Amino acid sequence: MNFLRGVMGGQQTSGAQQSGTQTIQKLCDRVASATLLDDRRDAVRALKSLSKKYCFEVATQAMDHLINVLQTDRSDSEIIGYALDTLYNIMSNEADETAESEDENQQIASDDLGVQFSETFIKQQDNITLLLSLLEEFDFHVRWPGVKLLTTLLKHQSTQVQQIVLVSPMGVSRLMDLLDDSREVIRNDGLLLLQQLTKSNAAIQKIVAFENAFERLLDIITEEGNGDGGIVVEDCLLLLQNLLKYNNSNQNFFKEGSYIQRMKPWFEVGDDNSGWSAQKVTNLHLMLQLVRVLVSPVNPPGATSSCQKSMFQCGLLQQLCIILMATGVPADILTETINTVSEVIRGSQVNQDYFASVNAPSNPPRPAIVVLLMSMVNERQPFVLRCAVLYCFQCFLYKNQKGQGEIVATLLPSTIDANALSAGQLLCGGLFSTDSLSNWCAAVALAHALLDNATQKEQLLRVQLATSIGNPPVSLLQQCTNILSQGSKVQTRVGLLMLLCTWLTNCPIAVTHFLHNAANVPFLTAQISENLGEEEHLVQGMCALLLGICIYYNDNSLENNTKDKLKQLIEKRIGKENFTEKLGFITKHEFYSKAAQKPQPIFSSPDHMLFDHEFTKLVKELEVVITKAIYKSSEEDKKEEEVKKSLEQHDNIVSHYKNIIREQDIQIEELKQNIASLQTTNEQNQSTMSLQLGQIQQHKDQYNLLKVQLGKDSQHHSSQISCAQLNGFQPEEVSRLKEEIEELKKQQDILQGELSEKNVFIESLQQSRVDGQTDQTTGVSEKSAELQKELETLRSQLHVQSTEINRLQAERMELLQKTEITGSLPASDSPSVNSQSDTKMEQKVAQLLKETASLKEELKNQYEDKSSLKQQLDTAQSTAAILQDETEKLKQELAESKKEQDDLLVLLADQDQKIFGLKKKLKELGEPVEDEDDLESGDAGDEDDLDDDGDDDEDLRD
């Protein structure tokens, strides 16, 4: 404190000041020595009233006493409130309304004192912990001054206070409770406190976010009326920006918490957009900035694309496009909306496609891109708005080859619509207008339509321009070089050179078209070799870059402008060192580093608009390779081309084998699918056979039951039938039974013949399987064998059943023979039995007819089952034929692969022989060879080694 008294000692000269100091001293003594709480409370109240006018005296004499009051008198909220207010006054240095105004130097000294007093207060970390504990008091007179005091301390000593709060138990949680206070004054000041607390501290930002800050802040914004709210909405938005900006963890938490969907109502503007208040403009501006924080290009690509997807799905992008096309929107809000839409669609194919489909509410409707480009090439529009439109167009084309093709297509002769204004026409109009800024913007926009897209670079060579009536059309490339040679403004020439460099990069066809004009190379060499002023240095560097691109991407298709001849021209006319120096003018320019920092074009004035962000990256890549290409000799170029060709051949071989492997993988997958289908078919056959076996067993049981019943009846009536006379039985029915039995025999013979044919067919199929089986069709053959065994089992079961049917028929024939014998006896032998046995014999014949009908039905069912089995066998036969064809194809491909391997081994053997001969020649010439011992020992055994190599090759082929 003595040091602070010494600093302000020169001001303590007047009597009034001396009297105030004495009064403060007495009050401090009373606070320290008074035993009654009322006396101490009155003394602290008096210090509070003097703290604004005598800020320095109160701070130097009473600070320790006030801290002691906070520690000892916590039970009395009134004295605690007075003490906190007093500390707040001396920390904030708020001037008394009755005090006279001070000059600027005194005000600066007063601000420095506030910082010093804050530093003194936080030297004891317990003071901040004490202050945090006091914020738990619900009393308004304690909580409100405590919030203000802590906010002031954070303003003066933010880093130190943040560290103390961070290590304090439940420190951040106590401050978050301020947002739930029902008193708006405390809640609003709590927002300001959290703003200061979360500045530049990622750890505190994460803690605040996980204390449900997003939910609380969005609720407050909704309660206050979203964009139409007051300054409280502004404070909430500023706090949200602190929590989300450059904090990937909080951004991911915000997205996963579905908070992006809650931002959509912020941008629902009405039809009447006139009369926006200043606060509404500020709020909406901050809301747009918050959206940009989530999709900023500096964020990780994965996080940005995820947020872009969510914004499209929830309709936020659609709402922003509505604001973009609305009327009556303030200019600064429109500009920020364009920038926001730009970053929402940047690199997102879905969002870019949607933006391409947006139409302006005009008659007739025009695409939003066309309307924006009209503003960009209009020199009467604000500069900031034109920069925003350029950024939007760049973001629309970023990693969007489809959009690039659509823009270039509007310039091609086959797609030009004379009745409609297109994006290509606007770009050409801006490229050749009298406004240099329009020239630069149009050139950069057209360059982005060609960026990393060789197809569109070639397509743009087809564009023809009509210069004047009666003159033939001129290509766009030629027109750009013509304007360049006319000596226009620096901004125009720089824009055209950026367009040409982007166009010719990695496009040998465009380089050939450029070099075909005999005037282009002399113009570039003249520009580079001349000694011009500093304002022309950038143009010289750009011309050097363009000439270097013509050398590096030259395919030597023009005899007069090959790589070697252009290098010789540079060496004679310019000099390699001078060329390299001029090339370095680009990166040394003052505006180059600014443009390289961010994708968004931000310039203080139109004159500073010289470099594009993507072009700076292109220069960084090309500068090194062009410098190397200039200093390379022709021999090195030839070697490099040979290496490139060998690498291309190697890549072709690798790609060829990759294709073969890919095709084999596809074939293997198809075979696996076929095997799976055959397994499924086999399972179905097994289930069908099991069902048929069950039916056969059921028929056998029924047959056995009928047989038992028939045996009992025959034993019971054998004595009567042997001597009975069947005068009442009709001969026609007996003959009909004989015919039916004969027909059943014929059907059985037919079935037996079909079964024998199927047996022969299965045996032939099995033999063909054995002859044509391969490693890849072994599983299918096994499945066919299993199917054959199952069919054999079924055939044996059917044979047993037919045997039983034959036995039944034999028994019936015996019965019929007995019937015929008894019918031939005279009627006088048994006259008394006729009347009794007629009815029983008719019943027996009816029963036999029923059994015959049931047997016929069973044979019919078995015939149908055999037909289904025949169809299944036909299916298996066709599948086996398909697999056999595929096996033959695989064998053929395998033979081809072996043949290629043999060729490669022969080539390797030839190469080894050549290397061995070259090493031997080098030794004969006296050159050092690494494996001399091998050469000495290998003179006599050259032929043996070659023979061994040949044997190894044969082994490999085997």
Side-chain angles (χ1 to χ4, degrees):
M1 297 301 176
N2 293 329
F3 170 75
L4 295 176
R5 290 193 184 96
V7 173
M8 299 298 294
Q11 299 180 6
Q12 300 177 4
T13 56
S14 63
Q17 188 77 14
Q18 194 70 23
S19 175
T21 303
Q22 294 175 356
T23 303
I24 292 170
Q25 183 64 42
K26 291 179 181 179
L27 292 173
C28 290
D29 293 340
R30 182 178 299 178
V31 171
S33 60
T35 57
L36 295 177
L37 180 60
D38 293 338
D39 294 340
R40 294 197 301 275
R41 185 189 303 119
D42 293 338
V44 174
R45 184 190 298 114
L47 287 172
K48 173 190 171 184
S49 61
L50 296 172
S51 60
K52 291 185 178 181
K53 185 176 181 180
Y54 300 100
C55 175
F56 176 76
E57 289 77 7
V58 173
T60 54
Q61 299 182 33
M63 182 180 292
D64 293 337
H65 300 294
L66 294 172
I67 294 173
N68 187 47
V69 168
L70 296 177
Q71 294 173 347
T72 57
D73 294 330
R74 292 190 60 175
S75 59
D76 185 64
S77 60
E78 189 174 358
I79 190 174
I80 295 295
Y82 292 147
L84 292 173
D85 283 331
T86 306
L87 290 171
Y88 169 72
N89 290 336
I90 63 179
M91 302 291 180
S92 62
N93 295 320
E94 291 184 355
D96 190 3
E97 296 178 358
T98 60
E100 297 180 358
S101 62
E102 300 177 348
D103 58 14
E104 184 178 356
N105 294 331
Q106 290 177 341
Q107 185 64 37
I108 294 174
S110 179
D111 293 339
D112 292 339
L113 283 176
V115 175
Q116 293 178 8
F117 293 151
S118 300
E119 184 178 359
T120 302
F121 182 81
I122 66 174
K123 279 183 179 179
Q124 297 294 329
Q125 296 186 5
D126 295 339
N127 295 337
I128 300 296
T129 305
L130 176 63
L131 188 57
L132 291 173
S133 64
L134 291 173
L135 291 178
E136 294 181 348
E137 298 290 338
F138 187 74
D139 191 284
F140 179 81
H141 298 288
V142 176
R143 178 172 278 195
W144 187 41
V147 171
K148 293 192 295 181
L149 175 58
L150 188 56
T151 304
T152 303
L153 291 172
L154 283 166
K155 288 180 181 179
H156 293 325
Q157 301 289 335
S158 61
T159 304
Q160 293 84 345
V161 177
Q162 284 174 345
Q163 293 300 323
I164 297 172
V165 173
L166 193 59
V167 299
S168 177
M170 300 296 293
V172 178
S173 300
R174 293 171 183 172
L175 299 180
M176 287 298 299
D177 292 338
L178 299 174
L179 298 180
D180 296 329
D181 201 304
S182 59
R183 295 158 293 192
E184 292 188 0
V185 176
I186 296 178
R187 185 199 66 184
N188 297 342
D189 284 346
L191 288 171
L192 300 177
L193 170 61
L194 290 172
Q195 284 181 24
Q196 297 296 329
L197 182 67
T198 55
K199 280 184 178 179
S200 305
N201 194 309
I204 293 180
Q205 291 170 2
K206 292 179 181 178
I207 296 174
V208 172
F210 282 98
E211 288 286 342
N212 204 20
F214 295 139
E215 185 76 26
R216 299 180 184 182
L217 293 174
L218 293 175
D219 289 341
I220 294 173
I221 292 174
T222 304
E223 292 172 1
E224 294 292 329
N226 295 328
D228 295 325
I231 196 172
V232 177
V233 175
E234 178 182 351
D235 294 336
C236 291
L237 293 171
L238 290 172
L239 179 54
L240 284 172
Q241 284 191 18
N242 287 349
L243 296 176
L244 293 173
K245 199 169 187 178
Y246 306 126
N247 195 318
N248 299 328
S249 175
N250 283 359
Q251 290 175 7
N252 188 41
F253 180 69
F254 189 85
K255 178 189 69 67
E256 291 181 352
S258 301
Y259 296 119
I260 292 178
Q261 288 81 342
R262 298 188 59 179
M263 299 170 67
K264 180 186 174 183
W266 296 354
F267 305 103
E268 294 177 354
V269 297
D271 296 333
D272 186 11
N273 294 317
S274 60
W276 285 38
S277 63
Q279 187 62 53
K280 182 177 180 180
V281 172
T282 302
N283 291 344
L284 198 57
H285 196 273
L286 291 173
M287 291 173 178
L288 292 169
Q289 287 182 348
L290 188 63
V291 175
R292 295 184 63 185
V293 166
L294 295 172
V295 293
S296 174
V298 300
N299 294 342
T304 300
S305 61
S306 180
C307 291
Q308 289 173 336
K309 182 179 179 181
S310 298
M311 290 178 182
F312 175 76
Q313 291 176 348
C314 72
L316 179 58
L317 175 60
Q318 293 84 331
Q319 205 63 42
L320 291 174
C321 291
I322 292 175
I323 299 177
L324 193 66
M325 295 291 104
T327 57
V329 179
D332 53 347
I333 294 298
L334 180 60
T335 302
E336 190 64 22
T337 303
I338 294 174
N339 289 327
T340 305
V341 171
S342 305
E343 295 183 352
V344 172
I345 67 174
R346 187 176 189 268
S348 175
Q349 187 65 52
V350 177
N351 294 2
Q352 289 168 341
D353 292 342
Y354 170 77
F355 183 71
S357 65
V358 175
N359 290 324
S362 59
N363 192 13
R366 289 177 175 172
I369 298 174
V370 174
V371 176
L372 291 175
L373 289 177
M374 291 172 64
S375 301
M376 186 186 73
V377 298
N378 188 355
E379 56 184 316
R380 290 176 293 181
Q381 293 293 337
F383 172 67
V384 180
L385 179 63
R386 298 174 74 180
C387 291
V389 173
L390 176 61
Y391 183 48
C392 184
F393 190 75
Q394 292 174 350
C395 292
F396 169 68
L397 297 178
Y398 182 71
K399 294 183 179 180
N400 183 11
Q401 293 191 354
K402 178 182 176 182
Q404 290 175 327
E406 292 174 352
I407 296 298
V408 174
T410 59
L411 290 167
L412 299 179
S414 58
T415 57
I416 292 178
D417 187 1
N419 298 324
L421 189 62
S422 64
Q425 295 175 2
L426 289 171
L427 291 177
C428 283
L431 192 63
F432 307 126
S433 70
T434 57
D435 179 28
S436 61
L437 183 59
S438 297
N439 300 152
W440 190 91
C441 292
V444 171
L446 196 56
H448 276 260
L450 305 176
L451 202 62
D452 298 328
N453 197 329
T455 303
Q456 303 309 323
K457 291 177 182 179
E458 297 177 4
Q459 289 292 326
L460 200 63
L461 295 172
R462 298 169 49 200
V463 177
Q464 300 289 325
L465 302 176
T467 55
S468 60
I469 300 175
N471 293 328
V474 180
S475 67
L476 177 61
L477 182 64
Q478 183 62 41
Q479 185 65 17
C480 290
T481 56
N482 292 340
I483 296 174
L484 193 62
S485 61
Q486 293 174 3
S488 53
K489 293 182 180 180
V490 174
Q491 191 176 39
T492 301
R493 286 183 287 166
V494 170
L496 290 173
L497 286 169
M498 282 195 296
L499 172 60
L500 290 174
C501 290
T502 306
W503 194 347
L504 269 61
T505 298
N506 202 18
C507 186
I509 298 176
V511 173
T512 303
H513 279 72
F514 181 79
L515 295 176
H516 192 269
N517 187 354
N520 289 338
V521 174
F523 169 74
L524 293 177
T525 54
Q527 288 288 320
I528 299 169
S529 58
E530 289 182 1
N531 292 324
L532 303 175
E534 294 184 358
E535 65 277 1
E536 295 291 331
H537 282 178
L538 179 58
V539 177
Q540 287 184 318
M542 299 286 287
C543 291
L545 179 65
L546 182 58
L547 185 57
I549 291 172
C550 292
I551 294 174
Y552 187 74
Y553 293 103
N554 195 337
D555 58 358
N556 296 325
S557 59
L558 297 177
E559 295 182 359
N560 296 329
N561 291 308
T562 61
K563 285 185 178 182
D564 295 337
K565 292 184 178 180
L566 290 177
K567 288 180 184 179
Q568 293 174 3
L569 182 65
I570 290 175
E571 188 173 1
K572 292 179 181 179
R573 298 284 182 87
I574 304 171
K576 293 182 179 180
E577 295 181 356
N578 189 21
F579 180 85
T580 307
E581 181 183 359
K582 297 295 177 65
L583 184 62
F585 285 164
I586 301 176
T587 55
K588 293 178 182 178
H589 199 275
E590 56 179 336
F591 298 137
Y592 177 85
S593 58
K594 294 181 180 179
Q597 293 175 359
K598 292 182 179 180
Q600 182 180 1
I602 301 176
F603 304 97
S604 56
S605 67
D607 296 336
H608 296 168
M609 210 168 187
L610 293 176
F611 288 104
D612 174 57
H613 176 75
E614 293 295 333
F615 180 74
T616 58
K617 296 195 295 185
L618 183 65
V619 171
K620 188 176 181 180
E621 295 175 0
L622 293 177
E623 185 177 10
V624 179
V625 296
I626 289 175
T627 304
K628 290 181 179 179
I630 294 298
Y631 284 95
K632 279 183 181 178
S633 62
S634 59
E635 295 180 356
E636 291 176 349
D637 288 338
K638 290 180 181 179
K639 291 181 180 179
E640 187 175 352
E641 289 179 359
E642 291 178 358
V643 172
K644 287 182 179 178
K645 289 181 180 179
S646 63
L647 289 176
E648 289 178 357
Q649 292 177 357
H650 180 269
D651 292 340
N652 292 333
I653 294 172
V654 172
S655 61
H656 175 66
Y657 280 109
K658 284 183 178 179
N659 293 331
I660 291 174
I661 293 171
R662 190 177 297 110
E663 291 175 357
Q664 290 178 350
D665 290 338
I666 294 172
Q667 292 174 357
I668 290 171
E669 289 297 328
E670 292 177 354
L671 289 174
K672 288 182 179 179
Q673 292 177 0
N674 292 334
I675 291 172
S677 63
L678 288 175
Q679 289 176 350
T680 305
T681 305
N682 184 28
E683 292 176 357
Q684 294 176 355
N685 292 337
Q686 288 180 352
S687 62
T688 304
M689 289 176 66
S690 62
L691 180 62
Q692 291 175 354
L693 288 173
Q695 293 176 355
I696 291 171
Q697 186 64 34
Q698 185 178 2
H699 294 329
K700 288 174 66 178
D701 295 340
Q702 293 176 358
Y703 171 73
N704 292 330
L705 181 60
L706 291 172
K707 184 178 179 181
V708 171
Q709 292 178 355
L710 182 60
K712 290 180 180 180
D713 293 338
S714 62
Q715 290 177 2
H716 180 70
H717 299 288
S718 60
S719 60
Q720 296 179 1
I721 293 174
S722 60
C723 61
Q725 183 178 2
L726 300 178
N727 294 328
F729 191 80
Q730 299 296 330
E732 292 82 0
E733 294 181 358
V734 176
S735 61
R736 183 169 55 81
L737 287 174
K738 289 181 179 180
E739 291 176 357
E740 289 178 356
I741 291 173
E742 291 296 331
E743 185 179 355
L744 288 175
K745 285 184 177 181
K746 291 179 181 180
Q747 291 179 358
Q748 184 179 3
D749 294 337
I750 293 171
L751 291 176
Q752 290 292 340
E754 290 179 355
L755 284 174
S756 61
E757 291 177 0
K758 295 302 179 184
N759 189 13
V760 173
F761 172 73
I762 290 171
E763 290 177 356
S764 62
L765 180 62
Q766 184 179 8
Q767 186 63 33
S768 63
R769 281 283 188 277
V770 173
D771 295 337
Q773 80 175 47
T774 59
D775 294 339
Q776 298 177 351
T777 57
T778 303
V780 179
S781 299
E782 292 177 356
K783 295 296 180 180
S784 300
E786 293 177 0
L787 183 60
Q788 182 184 0
K789 291 179 181 180
E790 293 172 356
L791 290 173
E792 290 289 343
T793 304
L794 180 60
R795 187 166 60 251
S796 62
Q797 293 174 355
L798 290 174
H799 180 68
V800 172
Q801 186 178 7
S802 62
T803 304
E804 293 176 355
I805 293 172
N806 291 331
R807 190 178 359 175
L808 179 61
Q809 289 177 353
E811 292 177 359
R812 288 180 179 174
M813 289 298 295
E814 291 177 359
L815 180 60
L816 290 173
Q817 290 175 1
K818 291 178 181 179
T819 305
E820 292 175 357
I821 293 170
T822 54
S824 62
L825 294 175
S828 60
D829 293 341
S830 55
S832 62
V833 184
N834 291 335
S835 61
Q836 298 177 359
S837 59
D838 288 342
T839 304
K840 293 181 179 180
M841 291 305 298
E842 289 176 358
Q843 292 176 356
K844 188 63 178 180
V845 170
Q847 185 178 0
L848 289 174
L849 289 173
K850 289 181 181 179
E851 291 177 356
T852 304
S854 64
L855 288 173
K856 287 174 65 178
E857 187 67 21
E858 290 177 1
L859 288 173
K860 183 179 179 181
N861 293 334
Q862 291 174 2
Y863 181 75
E864 292 177 355
D865 294 339
K866 290 177 182 179
S867 299
S868 64
L869 288 175
K870 181 179 179 182
Q871 294 177 357
Q872 293 173 3
L873 285 173
D874 294 338
T875 304
Q877 181 183 5
S878 61
T879 305
I882 294 171
L883 290 175
Q884 187 174 1
D885 295 338
E886 293 176 352
T887 302
E888 293 297 331
K889 291 181 181 179
L890 290 175
K891 283 184 177 181
Q892 185 177 359
E893 292 177 358
L894 182 61
E896 292 176 357
S897 299
K898 288 183 178 180
K899 184 178 179 182
E900 292 178 357
Q901 290 178 357
D902 294 340
D903 295 339
L904 289 175
L905 290 172
V906 171
L907 290 174
L908 287 174
D910 294 340
Q911 189 70 20
D912 290 340
Q913 188 175 1
K914 290 179 181 179
I915 292 172
F916 186 85
L918 291 174
K919 287 182 178 180
K920 186 175 179 180
K921 289 181 180 180
L922 287 174
K923 183 187 174 186
E924 292 175 355
L925 294 173
E927 295 292 333
V929 181
E930 294 179 359
D931 51 350
E932 289 185 356
D933 297 336
D934 296 337
L935 286 173
E936 292 174 359
S937 62
D939 292 337
D942 292 342
E943 296 179 357
D944 296 335
D945 293 338
L946 291 177
D947 292 337
D948 293 339
D949 292 339
D951 294 338
D952 293 338
D953 295 340
E954 291 177 0
D955 294 337
L956 290 174
R957 286 193 293 272
D958 294 336

